[in-house]
Amino acid sequence: MNIGKKLRDARLQQNMSLDELQQITKTQKRYLIAIEENDFDSMPGTFYVRAFIRQYASAVGLDGNELVEIYDGIDEPEDIETAIQYETLDESRTQMYDEDSQTKRFMSSLPAIVFSLIGLAIAVVVFYITWQDRQSSPMIQPPASEIIRESSSESSSESSQAPVSSSTESSTSSTSEPKAPTEVKFENESGVTVNMSAINVANPAKFEFSAVTGPCWVGIYIATAANNDNGYFFQETIQPGQPKSVEIPAGTTQVVISLGASEYMEFKLDGQKAEFNPNNTGIGPRNINMTLAYAQQSQTGQSQQSQQPQ
């Protein structure tokens, strides 16, 4: 079965464009085109091919699990080779002599074969080390307009801003009230879509992503002028033991966080853990719609209420 053609025909029957499908599935348009063209080798990996096929099929009303099984080759008939039996013939003296000569030639070439195998093993080790180095670097480079700050860059910026006069600190602490901690709340869910909210958020807000037992693809979608209201503000495959911090633009009130293998992912907002699957409703991809209310907005609302005449 042609998976891409079946998905494309279902999309066209619903008069749905690729741009509309991209908004629904939160999957980049180039990956949707690759699926329709059966160009699965251009995608990050087989895990994400399966996830994107399921999201595409769900959006156009098809059975994504059936298409994934076809992609994995479950429904494909197995080739049954006809066994060919050969009759054993009595060996002549000439054949015995030829076999003896072949054995001698093999023994004489054995050292060369051993050295070739050793060279091949060395080449495999070098290739594996190179591959590991490439895996440590980002698989999908984010746009230049993104604001991504690692823990090392944060520590350097904090150290550069460290020297502040003690008088300024004392005056600031005496006049400003302590900020209330950020609160992240699970609202509801429907299928793979989860709705959440957060209050007392720092401006700008910072997300921290950590892969627990396996790699997980993470995408943050924000409609901004920098990405022409189309595409991801940030996307990357997070590896276990390699947490990632992402600082979003100040004043952002709505973000969509897409997770590939959500069962492997934990993330925090301003240091507060986000429980996006409290009901344990399943594993796989998740699209989390999160509304942000900043601490400055909450303090402004409280001061306005206190200034109203009693």
Side-chain angles (χ1 to χ4, degrees):
M1 179 182 295
N2 190 324
I3 297 175
K5 184 178 183 301
K6 185 171 183 179
L7 291 171
R8 183 176 181 273
D9 291 342
R11 175 177 64 80
L12 295 177
Q13 287 179 0
Q14 298 186 14
N15 294 324
M16 183 185 300
S17 65
L18 285 173
D19 293 332
E20 294 174 343
L21 185 61
Q22 177 179 251
Q23 296 296 328
I24 294 173
T25 61
K26 302 300 184 294
T27 302
Q28 288 193 41
K29 185 175 179 180
R30 61 192 180 102
Y31 290 145
L32 298 176
I33 296 174
I35 290 174
E36 292 186 351
E37 295 177 354
N38 294 310
D39 185 14
F40 304 120
D41 294 336
S42 64
M43 297 187 184
T46 58
F47 175 84
Y48 298 106
V49 173
R50 298 186 185 97
F52 293 158
I53 290 176
R54 287 193 180 96
Q55 292 177 350
Y56 193 127
S58 177
V60 298
L62 296 180
D63 188 352
N65 293 328
E66 179 183 357
L67 295 178
V68 170
E69 288 177 354
I70 294 172
Y71 170 75
D72 291 337
I74 294 177
D75 291 343
E76 294 180 3
E78 297 180 356
D79 293 331
I80 302 175
E81 297 182 356
T82 304
I84 303 175
Q85 299 180 352
Y86 297 91
E87 295 181 359
T88 304
L89 302 177
D90 293 333
E91 300 182 33
S92 62
R93 294 183 179 179
T94 304
Q95 291 173 335
M96 295 176 63
Y97 176 80
D98 292 340
E99 290 178 358
D100 186 45
S101 301
Q102 291 177 359
T103 303
K104 291 180 179 180
R105 287 197 296 271
F106 174 77
M107 294 301 296
S108 62
S109 61
L110 185 60
I113 296 175
V114 172
F115 283 113
S116 299
L117 291 176
I118 294 174
L120 179 61
I122 295 174
V124 170
V125 172
V126 173
F127 174 80
Y128 178 78
I129 295 174
T130 305
W131 179 79
Q132 287 289 344
D133 293 337
R134 291 182 178 179
Q135 285 294 104
S136 61
S137 62
M139 183 175 61
I140 303 176
Q141 295 294 339
S145 60
E146 294 176 2
I147 306 174
I148 305 172
R149 300 181 180 176
E150 301 289 343
S151 57
S152 60
S153 62
E154 292 175 355
S155 60
S156 61
S157 62
E158 290 175 357
S159 61
S160 63
Q161 298 175 358
V164 181
S165 62
S166 59
S167 61
T168 304
E169 293 178 352
S170 60
S171 62
T172 304
S173 60
S174 61
T175 57
S176 62
E177 298 180 357
K179 172 188 172 297
T182 301
E183 297 182 17
V184 184
K185 181 180 179 182
F186 173 88
E187 299 291 348
N188 53 62
E189 61 181 342
S190 176
V192 298
T193 302
V194 179
N195 295 317
M196 302 185 70
S197 63
I199 60 174
N200 296 325
V201 181
N203 196 5
K206 182 173 71 174
F207 288 93
E208 300 175 23
F209 299 96
S210 300
V212 183
T213 58
C216 178
W217 180 85
V218 177
I220 300 180
Y221 178 84
I222 305 173
T224 62
N227 59 17
N228 296 320
D229 297 338
N230 185 18
Y232 286 98
F233 171 78
F234 166 82
Q235 58 178 337
E236 185 171 326
T237 298
I238 308 298
Q239 300 291 341
Q242 300 177 5
K244 193 76 173 182
S245 298
V246 181
E247 189 175 277
I248 64 175
T252 302
T253 59
Q254 189 73 34
V255 297
V256 177
I257 301 173
S258 297
L259 303 178
S262 61
E263 65 273 20
Y264 297 151
M265 177 53 59
E266 291 182 355
F267 75 92
K268 298 179 181 179
L269 173 59
D270 295 340
Q272 299 298 319
K273 186 177 180 180
E275 296 289 351
F276 59 87
N277 188 19
N279 301 322
N280 294 323
T281 54
I283 62 177
R286 285 287 188 279
N287 294 322
I288 303 171
N289 300 321
M290 181 171 291
T291 304
L292 307 179
Y294 294 95
Q296 296 177 353
Q297 297 173 350
S298 301
Q299 295 176 359
T300 303
Q302 294 175 359
S303 62
Q304 290 177 353
Q305 291 178 358
S306 63
Q307 291 176 2
Q308 292 179 353
Q310 303 294 332

